[in-house]
């Protein structure tokens, strides 16, 4: 991270502050050994993980007052892992995962920045079949559906990491694939509902997407 320009910010959730070290902007790039390139991550897509996007903020605000209970939670495609950091602050059993090779270093730094325990993390892709994540009661994510091919990959990844009774919450900014995902997850036993976030005053502009909720009752 030495050749990257970074940004520090604090995001408030009521009386809870989450401190973040992120990339300064989406023009940053540093892959001297070609690790990301070997994983199929282009230079244009490389910085996407390190920016706090509107969908990430919507997800974090949505789960900030969510009754998690004793559920085991997985954040997929976590990027800056804002929701994971927030849940970690509440001592929720949270695990994070992402395909990008730099995510773990930022997650480690941000966990320490917030004075909290290290969040369990595993770098893996949705098409990989050899991860050690296990199964979860609640799976969360934001802005995941960039391509049509992601629908099948994401659905199968969710299936492989869901307990028999599982809830999935995905915030989608409106990329036009939510109905296709719902149809695929219906085949796997998930009932879907879509809703608009109730309050997005924390965003700079109107949010045109949806909160996608999928529930399987076993």
């Amino acid at each position: 991270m030495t050749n990257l320009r970074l940004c520090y910010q604090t995001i408030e959730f009521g009386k809870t502050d989450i401190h973040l070290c992120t990339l300064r902007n989406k023009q940053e790039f540093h892959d001297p050994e070609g690790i990301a390139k070997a994983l199929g991550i282009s230079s244009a897509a490389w910085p996407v993980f390190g920016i706090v996007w509107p969908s990430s903020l919507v997800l974090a605000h949505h789960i900030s007052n969510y009754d998690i209970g004793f559920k085991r939670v997985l954040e997929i495609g976590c990027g800056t892992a804002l929701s994971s950091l927030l849940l970690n602050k509440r001592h929720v059993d949270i695990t994070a995962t992402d395909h990008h090779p730099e995510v773990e270093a930022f997650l480690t730094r941000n966990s320490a920045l917030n004075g909290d325990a290290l969040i369990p993390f595993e770098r893996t892709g949705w098409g990989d079949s050899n991860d050690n994540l296990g199964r979860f009661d609640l799976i969360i994510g934001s802005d995941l559906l960039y391509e049509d091919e992601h629908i099948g990959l994401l659905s199968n990844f969710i299936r492989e990491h869901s307990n028999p009774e599982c809830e999935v919450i995905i915030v989608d900014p409106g990329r036009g694939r939510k109905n296709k995902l719902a149809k695929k997850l219906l085949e796997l036993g998930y009932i879907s509902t879509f809703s608009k976030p109730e309050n997005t005053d924390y965003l700079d502009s109107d949010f045109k997407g949806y909160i996608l909720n999928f529930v399987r009752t076993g």
Side-chain angles (χ1 to χ4, degrees):
M1 290 190 287
T2 55
N3 292 334
L4 295 173
R5 298 191 71 188
L6 305 177
C7 172
Y8 288 86
Q9 57 187 297
T10 297
I11 302 176
E12 300 179 6
F13 299 91
K15 296 182 178 180
T16 301
D17 293 336
I18 297 299
H19 309 296
L20 280 179
C21 170
T22 67
L23 297 179
R24 185 178 180 87
N25 54 52
K26 57 185 178 181
Q27 276 72 52
E28 297 299 316
F29 174 73
H30 184 64
D31 188 30
E33 298 179 8
I35 296 174
K37 183 178 180 180
L39 293 171
I41 301 171
S42 68
S43 58
W46 191 95
V48 170
F49 83 94
I51 304 294
V52 180
W53 299 98
S55 294
S56 175
L57 287 166
V58 171
L59 176 63
H61 279 274
H62 181 69
I63 59 94
S64 63
N65 296 313
Y66 210 74
D67 184 13
I68 302 293
F70 296 99
K71 292 180 179 178
R72 186 175 188 231
V73 185
L74 174 67
E75 182 175 11
I76 53 180
C78 67
T80 58
L82 178 58
S83 291
S84 290
L85 291 164
L86 179 60
L87 293 178
N88 194 41
K89 179 70 71 176
R90 292 168 47 186
H91 306 292
V92 169
D93 183 357
I94 176 70
T95 299
T97 183
D98 199 287
H99 185 51
H100 200 287
E102 294 292 336
V103 167
E104 185 172 14
F106 277 85
L107 183 60
T108 299
R109 172 180 285 193
N110 285 323
S111 296
L113 194 61
N114 285 279
D116 296 321
L118 185 63
I119 297 172
F121 174 87
E122 184 169 349
R123 193 212 67 76
T124 189
W126 297 340
D128 297 344
S129 59
N130 58 347
D131 66 67
N132 297 299
L133 291 166
R135 296 182 181 272
F136 298 83
D137 308 299
L138 173 62
I139 298 175
I140 62 175
S142 60
D143 202 355
L144 303 177
L145 301 173
Y146 284 85
E147 306 288 346
D148 282 343
E149 67 182 74
H150 292 163
I151 296 168
L153 291 171
L154 177 59
S155 299
N156 289 333
F157 190 84
I158 289 172
R159 178 190 60 190
E160 291 298 319
H161 297 92
S162 295
N163 279 323
E165 294 187 5
C166 184
E167 182 178 8
V168 180
I169 300 172
I170 296 174
V171 174
D172 184 75
R175 297 189 183 278
R177 296 180 177 87
K178 68 181 188 302
N179 291 328
K180 294 179 180 179
L181 179 64
K183 181 179 179 181
K184 189 67 176 179
L185 286 177
L186 180 62
E187 298 173 2
L188 302 178
Y190 285 89
I191 303 299
S192 64
T193 56
F194 304 153
S195 63
K196 285 288 204 178
E198 295 181 358
N199 180 12
T200 57
D201 291 346
Y202 48 85
L203 298 178
D204 295 331
S205 59
D206 291 338
F207 186 72
K208 299 180 180 180
Y210 293 84
I211 298 171
L212 317 181
N213 188 273
F214 306 94
V215 177
R216 186 173 71 180
T217 57

